[in-house]
Amino acid sequence: MKVLPDCVDNAIKNVTDEPTRNVGSTLADCWLLVFGGISKAARKREIKYTHDLEIYEMN
């Protein structure tokens, strides 16, 4: 059962879409600031392991 007309639904959607995207972007930025260093360190370690394994296999 629909209570509100489509124009009201569209107005509410237009008002909330951009703020919702901004909140999501802000949360993603905060996540990166807090946990980005961990991801970077893990990726660097992974690259080092791969490099060390390649050197080991060549010998």
Side-chain angles (χ1 to χ4, degrees):
M1 180 169 107
K2 193 164 192 169
V3 178
L4 297 174
D6 287 341
C7 63
V8 174
D9 284 343
N10 289 338
I12 291 170
K13 185 176 184 281
N14 290 337
V15 168
T16 59
D17 276 354
E18 187 64 26
T20 301
R21 275 193 291 275
N22 288 339
V23 168
S25 178
T26 300
L27 290 175
D29 291 344
C30 290
W31 184 269
L32 179 63
L33 288 172
V34 172
F35 298 109
I38 295 170
S39 296
K40 179 182 174 185
R43 181 69 178 131
K44 284 173 68 174
R45 180 68 54 96
E46 180 183 342
I47 291 168
K48 183 181 182 333
Y49 285 159
T50 301
H51 179 260
D52 291 348
L53 183 61
E54 288 171 356
I55 289 174
Y56 174 77
E57 288 174 345
M58 289 183 350
N59 291 328

